[in-house]
Amino acid sequence: MEEGLQRCFVLHRRPYSESSLILDVFSEEYGRLSIISKGARSKRSNLKGVLQAFTPLLMKWSGKGSMRTLRQAETISLGIPLSGINLYSAMYINELVVRVIEQETPYPALFLDYLTALTELAQSSNPEPALRRFELALLSSLGYGVDFLHCAGSGEMVSPEMTYRYREQQGFMASIRHDPLMSFKGNELIAISERRFTTPEQLKAAKRFTRIALKPYLGGKPLKSRELFLPRTRSILK
């Protein structure tokens, strides 16, 4: 079976045989796929500069099963300009998608969130807001539903000045006890709900929550992209 041209990004690529590549691809309509590009590494291949991460692509493939065969690929536009800490942050996003979402499951909304995150990273000196927004979008796509605006115990609206403790599978409960990991201020929960981070404290709270929520999906295996960060910048992804 051969599909029409699809909007895609290459998430990861690795050599295969003498001249081919195996690609992890994120497609708007088909989700994550494994695709072999035969001869892509040969000297005469016209794909050598095309199959790059962070470059918007149109791709066509054929075949069934766990490995498809690339038939055509062309760039939609130039690669999204990323460098330094923003490049490492984009690599982290790619690894999250590879590790967390199932193969051949459509995530069209998340595909647009992914494109938005890369665009934000290319335009910002601080990658953290874009990372937190994408992590929250990823959790939402996975069905990890959390009500940030209501107390799980009383049902009342979250008060900006009150403290709430997160309980897995229940939500946020008003609490007078402070837990450095599981406690959140009401204004932090409101910011997370709105994906709007105006203070360092709100960003730190969002990071704590996404680490808690993503842990079951990642298991005990560490993310390789975090190891690329220098000691002074690695904390962004921790």
Side-chain angles (χ1 to χ4, degrees):
M1 180 178 179
E2 185 168 311
E3 308 294 343
L5 286 168
Q6 305 291 327
R7 290 208 301 173
C8 300
F9 280 92
V10 172
L11 299 171
H12 183 260
R13 45 182 267 175
R14 62 185 185 276
Y16 180 75
S17 71
E18 293 184 359
S19 62
S20 300
L21 287 171
I22 291 179
L23 311 169
D24 277 315
V25 170
F26 190 21
S27 160
E28 183 175 17
E29 293 188 21
Y30 292 88
R32 187 168 66 86
L33 299 167
S34 293
I35 299 177
I36 184 169
S37 180
K38 296 180 179 179
R41 295 165 56 222
S42 66
K43 292 181 179 180
R44 296 182 180 181
S45 174
N46 60 0
L47 295 177
K48 293 191 72 172
V50 173
L51 302 175
Q52 304 293 330
F54 317 123
T55 298
L57 300 172
L58 288 174
M59 302 179 73
K60 181 188 289 188
W61 56 85
S62 63
K64 297 180 180 180
S66 60
M67 184 69 67
R68 312 299 174 89
T69 300
L70 185 66
R71 297 302 180 195
Q72 183 180 343
E74 58 189 67
T75 58
I76 298 175
S77 64
L78 296 175
I80 297 172
L82 296 161
S83 61
I85 192 171
N86 289 341
L87 174 60
Y88 293 137
S89 298
M91 293 170 67
Y92 164 74
I93 287 176
N94 277 7
E95 189 174 5
L96 272 185
V97 174
V98 171
R99 288 275 300 273
V100 171
I101 71 171
E102 296 180 358
Q103 281 196 318
E104 300 186 49
T105 301
Y107 290 95
L110 184 64
F111 182 90
L112 296 179
D113 290 321
Y114 173 87
L115 177 57
T116 298
L118 295 186
T119 303
E120 288 182 2
L121 287 174
Q123 298 173 349
S124 175
S125 59
N126 180 9
E128 290 207 55
L131 291 178
R132 303 294 83 84
R133 280 190 281 268
F134 181 77
E135 289 169 339
L136 291 165
L138 176 59
L139 287 164
S140 179
S141 294
L142 294 170
Y144 197 100
V146 176
D147 186 348
F148 296 101
L149 297 180
H150 295 86
C151 173
S154 66
E156 295 180 356
M157 289 289 293
V158 162
S159 172
E161 301 305 320
M162 286 190 65
T163 297
Y164 298 84
R165 192 173 190 275
Y166 180 64
R167 295 184 182 180
E168 192 173 355
Q169 299 182 340
Q170 294 184 49
F172 294 92
M173 310 281 286
S175 175
I176 59 174
R177 294 177 55 192
H178 179 75
D179 183 319
L181 178 63
M182 307 297 281
S183 292
F184 298 81
K185 287 287 188 181
N187 71 77
E188 295 169 345
L189 298 181
I190 294 169
I192 293 172
S193 175
E194 296 176 350
R195 313 301 197 254
R196 173 188 51 80
F197 308 111
T198 58
T199 68
E201 290 73 24
Q202 290 171 348
L203 279 171
K204 290 177 182 178
K207 184 192 300 184
R208 279 194 291 119
F209 173 76
T210 57
R211 292 302 171 269
I212 293 167
L214 284 169
K215 188 175 181 179
Y217 297 99
L218 295 171
K221 186 178 179 181
L223 289 162
K224 294 180 181 179
S225 54
R226 291 179 182 170
E227 300 305 315
L228 297 175
F229 274 61
L230 298 171
R232 65 185 179 85
T233 60
R234 191 174 294 159
S235 62
I236 288 178
L237 302 187
K238 281 186 176 178

